[in-house]
Short mmCIF file of all heavy atoms in Angstrom, two decimals:
data_model
loop_
_atom_site.label_atom_id
_atom_site.label_comp_id
_atom_site.label_asym_id
_atom_site.label_seq_id
_atom_site.Cartn_x
_atom_site.Cartn_y
_atom_site.Cartn_z
N GLY A 1 82.17 110.84 95.04
CA GLY A 1 83.27 111.02 94.17
C GLY A 1 84.58 111.19 94.93
O GLY A 1 84.66 111.00 96.13
N PRO A 2 85.62 111.69 94.24
CA PRO A 2 86.94 111.77 94.84
C PRO A 2 87.00 112.76 95.97
O PRO A 2 86.28 113.80 96.04
CB PRO A 2 87.77 112.37 93.73
CG PRO A 2 87.06 112.05 92.46
CD PRO A 2 85.63 112.12 92.79
N VAL A 3 87.74 112.46 97.02
CA VAL A 3 88.02 113.30 98.17
C VAL A 3 89.49 113.75 98.16
O VAL A 3 90.24 113.11 97.50
CB VAL A 3 87.60 112.63 99.52
CG1 VAL A 3 86.22 112.28 99.47
CG2 VAL A 3 88.44 111.38 99.75
N GLU A 4 89.86 114.68 99.02
CA GLU A 4 91.22 115.25 99.07
C GLU A 4 92.12 114.28 99.86
O GLU A 4 92.77 114.74 100.81
CB GLU A 4 91.23 116.64 99.46
CG GLU A 4 90.51 117.57 98.50
CD GLU A 4 90.48 119.03 98.88
OE1 GLU A 4 90.47 119.38 100.06
OE2 GLU A 4 90.57 119.85 97.99
N LYS A 5 92.19 113.04 99.52
CA LYS A 5 93.00 112.12 100.13
C LYS A 5 93.60 111.26 99.05
O LYS A 5 92.99 110.81 98.14
CB LYS A 5 92.26 111.23 101.06
CG LYS A 5 91.67 111.92 102.37
CD LYS A 5 91.00 110.81 103.23
CE LYS A 5 90.46 111.54 104.43
NZ LYS A 5 89.83 110.43 105.31
N THR A 6 94.98 111.00 99.13
CA THR A 6 95.59 110.01 98.28
C THR A 6 96.37 109.01 99.14
O THR A 6 96.72 109.26 100.29
CB THR A 6 96.64 110.73 97.34
OG1 THR A 6 97.41 111.58 98.06
CG2 THR A 6 95.78 111.53 96.21
N TYR A 7 96.67 107.88 98.48
CA TYR A 7 97.65 106.96 99.10
C TYR A 7 98.29 106.09 97.95
O TYR A 7 97.73 105.97 96.89
CB TYR A 7 97.07 106.10 100.16
CG TYR A 7 96.27 104.87 99.73
CD1 TYR A 7 96.84 103.67 99.49
CD2 TYR A 7 94.83 104.94 99.54
CE1 TYR A 7 96.09 102.53 99.13
CE2 TYR A 7 94.11 103.88 99.18
CZ TYR A 7 94.73 102.65 98.99
OH TYR A 7 94.04 101.56 98.59
N SER A 8 99.48 105.61 98.27
CA SER A 8 100.16 104.69 97.38
C SER A 8 100.24 103.39 98.08
O SER A 8 100.47 103.40 99.38
CB SER A 8 101.48 105.13 96.98
OG SER A 8 102.39 105.22 98.08
N VAL A 9 100.16 102.35 97.34
CA VAL A 9 100.48 100.98 97.89
C VAL A 9 101.59 100.38 96.99
O VAL A 9 101.40 100.36 95.78
CB VAL A 9 99.25 100.09 98.08
CG1 VAL A 9 98.56 99.82 96.71
CG2 VAL A 9 99.63 98.77 98.72
N SER A 10 102.71 99.99 97.58
CA SER A 10 103.79 99.48 96.79
C SER A 10 104.24 98.14 97.42
O SER A 10 104.26 97.99 98.58
CB SER A 10 104.94 100.53 96.67
OG SER A 10 105.26 100.89 98.01
N ALA A 11 104.69 97.28 96.52
CA ALA A 11 105.19 95.92 96.99
C ALA A 11 106.78 95.84 96.63
O ALA A 11 107.06 96.08 95.45
CB ALA A 11 104.46 94.81 96.36
N TRP A 12 107.52 95.47 97.64
CA TRP A 12 109.05 95.48 97.41
C TRP A 12 109.59 94.11 97.62
O TRP A 12 109.08 93.38 98.48
CB TRP A 12 109.64 96.52 98.39
CG TRP A 12 109.17 97.92 98.12
CD1 TRP A 12 107.91 98.47 98.50
CD2 TRP A 12 109.87 98.97 97.50
NE1 TRP A 12 107.95 99.84 98.16
CE2 TRP A 12 109.05 100.15 97.50
CE3 TRP A 12 111.17 99.08 96.93
CZ2 TRP A 12 109.47 101.35 96.93
CZ3 TRP A 12 111.54 100.32 96.36
CH2 TRP A 12 110.73 101.41 96.32
N HIS A 13 110.64 93.88 96.93
CA HIS A 13 111.34 92.51 97.03
C HIS A 13 111.71 92.29 98.48
O HIS A 13 111.74 91.16 99.04
CB HIS A 13 112.50 92.47 96.11
CG HIS A 13 113.20 91.14 96.10
ND1 HIS A 13 112.51 89.90 95.92
CD2 HIS A 13 114.54 90.75 96.38
CE1 HIS A 13 113.39 88.90 95.96
NE2 HIS A 13 114.60 89.41 96.20
N SER A 14 112.09 93.41 99.19
CA SER A 14 112.42 93.32 100.63
C SER A 14 112.36 94.67 101.27
O SER A 14 112.27 95.71 100.62
CB SER A 14 113.93 92.79 100.70
OG SER A 14 114.82 93.78 100.34
N LEU A 15 112.33 94.63 102.58
CA LEU A 15 112.44 95.92 103.32
C LEU A 15 113.74 96.61 102.97
O LEU A 15 113.68 97.85 102.95
CB LEU A 15 112.31 95.57 104.82
CG LEU A 15 112.49 96.78 105.73
CD1 LEU A 15 111.45 97.94 105.44
CD2 LEU A 15 112.41 96.35 107.24
N GLY A 16 114.81 95.86 102.77
CA GLY A 16 116.12 96.50 102.46
C GLY A 16 115.99 97.29 101.17
O GLY A 16 116.60 98.36 101.09
N HIS A 17 115.25 96.83 100.17
CA HIS A 17 115.06 97.56 98.93
C HIS A 17 114.40 98.90 99.17
O HIS A 17 114.73 99.89 98.60
CB HIS A 17 114.35 96.69 97.82
CG HIS A 17 115.23 95.69 97.20
ND1 HIS A 17 115.36 94.39 97.77
CD2 HIS A 17 116.06 95.67 96.13
CE1 HIS A 17 116.13 93.70 97.06
NE2 HIS A 17 116.64 94.41 96.04
N LEU A 18 113.34 98.78 99.98
CA LEU A 18 112.60 100.04 100.26
C LEU A 18 113.48 100.97 101.07
O LEU A 18 113.50 102.21 100.78
CB LEU A 18 111.33 99.71 101.11
CG LEU A 18 110.57 100.84 101.67
CD1 LEU A 18 110.05 101.83 100.55
CD2 LEU A 18 109.35 100.40 102.54
N GLU A 19 114.29 100.56 101.98
CA GLU A 19 115.16 101.41 102.74
C GLU A 19 116.19 102.10 101.87
O GLU A 19 116.59 103.20 102.09
CB GLU A 19 115.85 100.54 103.83
CG GLU A 19 115.04 100.12 104.98
CD GLU A 19 115.63 99.12 105.88
OE1 GLU A 19 116.38 98.31 105.43
OE2 GLU A 19 115.35 99.14 107.10
N SER A 20 116.64 101.33 100.85
CA SER A 20 117.56 101.99 99.90
C SER A 20 116.90 103.13 99.11
O SER A 20 117.51 104.14 98.89
CB SER A 20 118.08 100.89 98.89
OG SER A 20 118.96 99.96 99.59
N TRP A 21 115.63 102.86 98.61
CA TRP A 21 114.95 103.93 97.88
C TRP A 21 114.72 105.17 98.65
O TRP A 21 114.81 106.30 98.12
CB TRP A 21 113.69 103.37 97.24
CG TRP A 21 113.08 104.44 96.34
CD1 TRP A 21 113.57 104.79 95.10
CD2 TRP A 21 111.98 105.25 96.59
NE1 TRP A 21 112.74 105.88 94.66
CE2 TRP A 21 111.77 106.15 95.52
CE3 TRP A 21 111.05 105.35 97.66
CZ2 TRP A 21 110.71 107.05 95.47
CZ3 TRP A 21 110.01 106.25 97.62
CH2 TRP A 21 109.87 107.05 96.48
N VAL A 22 114.43 105.00 99.97
CA VAL A 22 114.07 106.28 100.67
C VAL A 22 115.31 107.15 100.91
O VAL A 22 115.12 108.27 101.28
CB VAL A 22 113.41 105.87 102.06
CG1 VAL A 22 112.11 105.15 101.86
CG2 VAL A 22 114.34 105.17 102.98
N LYS A 23 116.45 106.56 100.70
CA LYS A 23 117.68 107.41 100.79
C LYS A 23 118.07 108.05 99.42
O LYS A 23 119.07 108.75 99.31
CB LYS A 23 118.86 106.62 101.29
CG LYS A 23 118.65 106.10 102.65
CD LYS A 23 119.78 105.19 103.16
CE LYS A 23 119.49 104.49 104.46
NZ LYS A 23 120.54 103.52 104.84
N ALA A 24 117.33 107.72 98.32
CA ALA A 24 117.60 108.08 97.01
C ALA A 24 117.15 109.62 96.79
O ALA A 24 116.27 110.14 97.58
CB ALA A 24 116.94 107.26 95.93
N ASP A 25 117.73 110.27 95.84
CA ASP A 25 117.48 111.70 95.69
C ASP A 25 115.98 112.06 95.51
O ASP A 25 115.43 112.99 96.10
CB ASP A 25 118.18 112.21 94.48
CG ASP A 25 119.72 112.24 94.70
OD1 ASP A 25 120.16 112.19 95.84
OD2 ASP A 25 120.48 112.42 93.70
N THR A 26 115.21 111.20 94.74
CA THR A 26 113.79 111.51 94.51
C THR A 26 113.03 111.47 95.82
O THR A 26 112.24 112.32 96.11
CB THR A 26 113.23 110.45 93.56
OG1 THR A 26 114.08 110.35 92.39
CG2 THR A 26 111.80 110.76 93.20
N HIS A 27 113.27 110.45 96.65
CA HIS A 27 112.57 110.42 97.90
C HIS A 27 113.05 111.47 98.88
O HIS A 27 112.27 112.04 99.70
CB HIS A 27 112.67 109.00 98.57
CG HIS A 27 111.89 109.01 99.87
ND1 HIS A 27 112.39 109.19 101.11
CD2 HIS A 27 110.54 108.73 100.15
CE1 HIS A 27 111.54 109.06 102.01
NE2 HIS A 27 110.35 108.80 101.47
N LEU A 28 114.37 111.75 98.82
CA LEU A 28 114.85 112.78 99.76
C LEU A 28 114.20 114.08 99.44
O LEU A 28 113.97 114.98 100.39
CB LEU A 28 116.39 112.96 99.64
CG LEU A 28 117.19 111.76 100.20
CD1 LEU A 28 118.69 111.96 99.90
CD2 LEU A 28 116.97 111.62 101.71
N ALA A 29 113.91 114.40 98.21
CA ALA A 29 113.17 115.62 97.83
C ALA A 29 111.78 115.65 98.42
O ALA A 29 111.30 116.72 98.87
CB ALA A 29 113.10 115.75 96.28
N ILE A 30 111.02 114.54 98.39
CA ILE A 30 109.76 114.48 99.07
C ILE A 30 109.85 114.69 100.53
O ILE A 30 109.14 115.48 101.08
CB ILE A 30 109.11 113.05 98.74
CG1 ILE A 30 109.03 112.72 97.28
CG2 ILE A 30 107.81 112.95 99.40
CD1 ILE A 30 108.58 111.32 96.95
N TRP A 31 110.81 113.99 101.14
CA TRP A 31 110.98 114.10 102.56
C TRP A 31 111.35 115.52 102.99
O TRP A 31 110.76 116.12 103.97
CB TRP A 31 112.11 113.23 102.96
CG TRP A 31 112.45 113.21 104.44
CD1 TRP A 31 111.72 112.49 105.42
CD2 TRP A 31 113.47 113.81 105.11
NE1 TRP A 31 112.30 112.72 106.68
CE2 TRP A 31 113.38 113.49 106.53
CE3 TRP A 31 114.50 114.64 104.70
CZ2 TRP A 31 114.21 114.02 107.49
CZ3 TRP A 31 115.44 115.13 105.68
CH2 TRP A 31 115.32 114.86 107.01
N ALA A 32 112.19 116.23 102.26
CA ALA A 32 112.56 117.55 102.49
C ALA A 32 111.40 118.54 102.39
O ALA A 32 111.16 119.48 103.23
CB ALA A 32 113.68 118.03 101.69
N ALA A 33 110.71 118.31 101.42
CA ALA A 33 109.46 119.21 101.18
C ALA A 33 108.46 119.07 102.27
O ALA A 33 107.84 119.98 102.81
CB ALA A 33 108.77 118.89 99.80
N GLY A 34 108.32 117.73 102.74
CA GLY A 34 107.32 117.55 103.82
C GLY A 34 107.87 118.17 105.10
O GLY A 34 107.00 118.71 105.93
N ILE A 35 109.18 118.09 105.46
CA ILE A 35 109.68 118.63 106.60
C ILE A 35 109.41 120.22 106.61
O ILE A 35 109.07 120.80 107.59
CB ILE A 35 111.18 118.33 106.82
CG1 ILE A 35 111.35 116.81 107.04
CG2 ILE A 35 111.80 119.11 107.87
CD1 ILE A 35 110.79 116.41 108.34
N LYS A 36 109.73 120.76 105.42
CA LYS A 36 109.59 122.21 105.26
C LYS A 36 108.13 122.65 105.52
O LYS A 36 107.77 123.65 106.09
CB LYS A 36 110.07 122.66 103.91
CG LYS A 36 110.12 124.14 103.82
CD LYS A 36 110.78 124.65 102.48
CE LYS A 36 110.81 126.16 102.41
NZ LYS A 36 111.54 126.59 101.12
N HIS A 37 107.20 121.80 104.95
CA HIS A 37 105.74 122.06 105.07
C HIS A 37 105.40 122.22 106.57
O HIS A 37 104.76 123.20 107.00
CB HIS A 37 104.92 120.95 104.46
CG HIS A 37 103.46 121.16 104.64
ND1 HIS A 37 102.63 121.56 103.53
CD2 HIS A 37 102.64 120.97 105.67
CE1 HIS A 37 101.47 121.60 104.07
NE2 HIS A 37 101.36 121.32 105.30
N PHE A 38 105.82 121.21 107.41
CA PHE A 38 105.45 121.27 108.77
C PHE A 38 106.15 122.39 109.54
O PHE A 38 105.59 122.88 110.58
CB PHE A 38 105.66 119.86 109.45
CG PHE A 38 104.59 118.85 109.09
CD1 PHE A 38 104.92 117.84 108.13
CD2 PHE A 38 103.30 118.93 109.51
CE1 PHE A 38 103.98 116.91 107.77
CE2 PHE A 38 102.31 117.95 109.14
CZ PHE A 38 102.69 117.02 108.21
N LYS A 39 107.37 122.69 109.17
CA LYS A 39 107.95 123.79 109.76
C LYS A 39 107.29 125.12 109.52
O LYS A 39 107.16 125.98 110.43
CB LYS A 39 109.53 123.86 109.37
CG LYS A 39 110.42 122.89 109.92
CD LYS A 39 111.83 123.02 109.54
CE LYS A 39 112.71 122.00 110.23
NZ LYS A 39 114.12 122.12 109.76
N LEU A 40 106.81 125.36 108.30
CA LEU A 40 106.15 126.57 107.89
C LEU A 40 104.73 126.59 108.61
O LEU A 40 104.32 127.69 109.03
CB LEU A 40 105.97 126.61 106.36
CG LEU A 40 107.33 126.88 105.58
CD1 LEU A 40 107.03 126.78 104.09
CD2 LEU A 40 107.83 128.28 105.91
N ALA A 41 104.08 125.54 108.63
CA ALA A 41 102.68 125.55 109.09
C ALA A 41 102.67 125.55 110.66
O ALA A 41 101.79 125.96 111.35
CB ALA A 41 101.92 124.33 108.68
N GLY A 42 103.76 124.91 111.31
CA GLY A 42 103.92 124.96 112.70
C GLY A 42 102.84 124.12 113.45
O GLY A 42 102.26 123.07 112.86
N ASP A 43 102.40 124.55 114.64
CA ASP A 43 101.48 123.74 115.42
C ASP A 43 100.10 123.81 114.82
O ASP A 43 99.21 123.01 115.23
CB ASP A 43 101.48 124.42 116.86
CG ASP A 43 102.74 124.16 117.63
OD1 ASP A 43 103.46 123.26 117.27
OD2 ASP A 43 102.93 124.88 118.58
N GLU A 44 99.88 124.69 113.83
CA GLU A 44 98.53 124.77 113.22
C GLU A 44 98.40 123.86 111.97
O GLU A 44 97.42 123.99 111.27
CB GLU A 44 98.26 126.21 112.84
CG GLU A 44 98.27 127.16 114.02
CD GLU A 44 97.29 126.77 115.10
OE1 GLU A 44 96.09 126.43 114.73
OE2 GLU A 44 97.68 126.77 116.28
N ALA A 45 99.47 123.13 111.65
CA ALA A 45 99.46 122.28 110.46
C ALA A 45 98.22 121.38 110.45
O ALA A 45 97.94 120.66 111.50
CB ALA A 45 100.68 121.44 110.40
#
């Protein structure tokens, strides 16, 4: 059954379109949460 792993696969018109989205607010929120996660967990992450 399901395991504690997820992934997304997405297809983009170009690398440039993906690069634009990763600078958008929604992705920036994901990025910031991830950075904070690793800062809080430290070397034991």
Side-chain angles (χ1 to χ4, degrees):
V3 298
E4 293 182 326
K5 294 183 180 182
T6 51
Y7 79 89
S8 66
V9 59
S10 54
W12 299 76
H13 186 55
S14 71
L15 176 58
H17 284 89
L18 174 58
E19 288 170 324
S20 294
W21 184 72
V22 300
K23 298 176 187 177
D25 289 345
T26 308
H27 182 266
L28 289 177
I30 302 170
W31 182 80
I35 293 295
K36 188 172 183 180
H37 178 105
F38 284 106
K39 284 184 177 179
L40 290 173
D43 293 338
E44 301 303 314

